[in-house]
Amino acid sequence: MALANFDLPYQQRKRSAAMTRDASLAQNAYSRFLAQQRGSRDLAELDRTKTAGLGRMGAAYGRRGLATSGIFQNAQNEYGSNWLQQKQDINDGLMQALQRLEFADQNAKNQYQQTEADVEAQKQSDILATAASLQQFKPFLGS
Amino acid sequence: MAPPKKNPYPRTPDMVERGQVAKNPTYSSYNDFLAEQIAKGQIGAMDYQQQQPPTQNGGGGTRRSGGGNGVATQAIKTLFDQYNTSQGGDLMALLNNYVNQAQAAGDQAIQNLQQTLTGQQNPFTGQVQAAVVASNPLAKYMQASGVGSDQVDAMQQMLASQAAGAQQAMQNMQNTMSQTWQANQQGRQADAATQQAAFQQALANSQQNAQMQLAQQEQKRKQDLMMQILQMAISRGINLNSLGVKF
């Protein structure tokens, strides 16, 4: 029994599993890059529009002589809360996307490890069964 | 013209064989030739019963081949030598050799699996990245305006709390996966150990079976030889005790 030939189908399965894992990791890395890019762009756009809106809001209240009023103070809190929430939504969205991708990475690695362990266990089982049967000795027993 | 007279003294088989021996320089004697043929199993003991030429009164019958007892004796001794020479010893040594090889191959396979398992790292370990919590974007503006930021601060606290909760939930899920992975790994290790024990038992069983079959083969070989010896001795009227053979 040539060990190299014996090992060949198992190595093929492991290589195939490794390729699937690497493809997943590469895809996840690309998705991670896109998510970060999109998150940064969304944050920048939010800050830009909100900053521009802040000036208009202050001017509008000033024209009406309400610059020091409680209404304007309340409006600032509303505006600030809204801005904050939108920023946090973008942050959370990005964070969750990154976490999902991290988890996808872990799953891909885990999937490979399970396949690797399965293949090794199958190989071990086959070797043990072959060895324990004393297959090479059987011709001498007329069987 | 009268038909040719039938030869009352045809050549007997041993006469024919003697002729072959005379033509073949390989055999130094007729006994050698016979012994080899017997050893090869090409001549059975009963072949030595030869037809006696017809007597004057027309009778016929079998006779023990004259002078053949020496040949038969030699053949019996050859068979007896084979009887006493065990052929199982070499096979038993070969079997032990294969058992040792099988043991080594099995140990190596188990070691490889264990190395693979211990070499794997839990992919679910590690801390989930801390949540990013946005700060009040109007903090400086409101501060400069002398505006209190209670409402925004309350919102920030709530968002921070939610983000921390989401982070913890993710961490919990990962911890669960990590523990599951660990348990799975321990199960695999236990399986490997079980397989190792089963392998030892199966190998021992196979070895025992092979030994028994070899012993049976050897026993049958000896029985066949014994049968051949006895047939030859009986057919030739040879007393085995006189040959000094002991079974």
Side-chain angles (χ1 to χ4, degrees):
Chain A
M1 173 178 59
L3 189 61
N5 290 341
F6 189 86
D7 198 35
L8 190 59
Y10 304 103
Q11 291 302 331
Q12 287 172 340
R13 282 168 59 192
K14 281 166 71 172
R15 278 199 297 273
S16 174
M19 195 162 185
T20 304
R21 175 202 58 191
D22 293 345
S24 294
L25 294 178
Q27 187 177 9
N28 293 343
Y30 179 60
S31 298
R32 190 176 292 112
F33 168 75
L34 291 182
Q36 285 171 332
Q37 224 180 26
R38 186 170 51 249
S40 300
R41 194 170 58 240
D42 289 349
L43 279 176
E45 179 66 11
L46 177 68
D47 284 346
R48 189 186 67 78
T49 55
K50 286 291 185 184
T51 303
L54 185 61
R56 286 196 296 274
M57 182 184 73
Y61 278 91
R63 278 198 300 275
R64 292 170 176 79
L66 299 171
T68 57
S69 68
I71 297 173
F72 182 50
Q73 291 183 20
N74 192 45
Q76 284 184 61
N77 268 290
E78 281 289 334
Y79 197 86
S81 296
N82 185 267
W83 189 349
L84 179 66
Q85 188 167 5
Q86 288 188 41
K87 280 191 80 165
Q88 190 60 34
D89 283 347
I90 294 171
N91 279 337
D92 287 350
L94 174 59
M95 185 61 64
Q96 286 162 14
L98 294 179
Q99 285 175 346
R100 275 197 301 273
L101 290 168
E102 175 66 17
F103 191 59
D105 276 357
Q106 292 169 343
N107 270 327
K109 290 174 186 171
N110 177 53
Q111 197 68 41
Y112 171 74
Q113 286 186 347
Q114 298 306 314
T115 303
E116 182 189 36
D118 284 345
V119 168
E120 282 296 329
Q122 181 66 52
K123 187 171 90 174
Q124 182 220 34
S125 183
D126 292 345
I127 290 174
L128 293 187
T130 305
S133 70
L134 291 174
Q135 203 172 51
Q136 293 192 60
F137 194 73
K138 283 185 176 174
F140 299 100
L141 299 175
S143 56
Chain B
M1 183 176 173
K5 204 172 180 181
K6 191 176 177 182
N7 182 5
Y9 303 104
R11 283 161 63 88
T12 59
D14 62 333
M15 290 168 70
V16 174
E17 287 162 357
R18 281 172 197 277
Q20 288 178 354
V21 172
K23 291 175 190 171
N24 190 341
T26 308
Y27 306 111
S28 58
S29 69
Y30 181 56
N31 282 357
D32 288 346
F33 170 76
L34 280 180
E36 183 173 321
Q37 297 303 306
I38 290 168
K40 288 177 179 175
Q42 293 178 356
I43 299 178
M46 298 307 287
D47 294 339
Y48 289 89
Q49 287 189 339
Q50 297 166 0
Q51 195 67 33
Q52 192 173 6
T55 57
Q56 286 184 345
N57 59 8
T62 58
R63 69 167 177 81
R64 308 296 178 197
S65 61
N69 271 359
V71 173
T73 301
Q74 184 60 41
I76 287 174
K77 284 182 176 174
T78 302
L79 291 174
F80 186 71
D81 285 345
Q82 290 180 10
Y83 181 89
N84 278 337
T85 306
S86 171
Q87 292 185 351
D90 291 344
L91 286 178
M92 205 63 85
L94 191 60
L95 170 65
N96 290 335
N97 185 32
Y98 277 125
V99 169
N100 289 337
Q101 286 182 17
Q103 182 72 56
D107 289 346
Q108 185 65 49
I110 291 163
Q111 194 180 350
N112 286 347
L113 176 61
Q114 285 172 340
Q115 277 178 352
T116 298
L117 293 176
T118 53
Q120 289 184 335
Q121 288 186 339
N122 189 338
F124 300 104
T125 55
Q127 294 295 309
V128 174
Q129 192 179 344
V132 174
V133 182
S135 57
N136 179 6
L138 289 183
K140 286 183 181 173
Y141 182 82
M142 293 169 78
Q143 204 173 1
S145 307
V147 175
S149 60
D150 294 350
Q151 196 179 334
V152 183
D153 292 344
M155 172 64 79
Q156 190 187 22
Q157 283 179 5
M158 187 199 71
L159 293 175
S161 171
Q162 284 187 340
Q167 180 199 357
Q168 188 57 51
M170 181 71 185
Q171 185 68 57
N172 290 344
M173 182 190 72
Q174 204 157 315
N175 290 345
T176 303
M177 288 302 299
S178 177
Q179 289 163 5
T180 304
W181 187 93
Q182 197 64 37
N184 185 47
Q185 204 74 353
Q186 286 171 354
R188 285 187 181 277
Q189 297 271 13
D191 287 347
T194 304
Q195 264 195 320
Q196 186 173 19
F199 165 68
Q200 302 290 1
Q201 188 61 50
L203 182 59
N205 289 344
S206 293
Q207 184 178 13
Q208 198 175 11
N209 285 340
Q211 285 170 342
M212 285 173 63
Q213 286 191 51
L214 285 179
Q216 284 173 353
Q217 281 182 5
E218 179 65 5
Q219 192 179 8
K220 184 175 184 314
R221 187 186 72 89
K222 284 198 164 191
Q223 280 175 348
D224 291 346
L225 283 171
M226 172 67 76
M227 189 61 69
Q228 228 173 334
I229 291 169
L230 292 177
Q231 279 179 348
M232 195 178 296
I234 291 169
S235 67
R236 304 304 295 260
I238 296 171
N239 183 354
L240 291 177
N241 287 333
S242 68
L243 299 180
V245 296
K246 291 179 182 175
F247 294 104

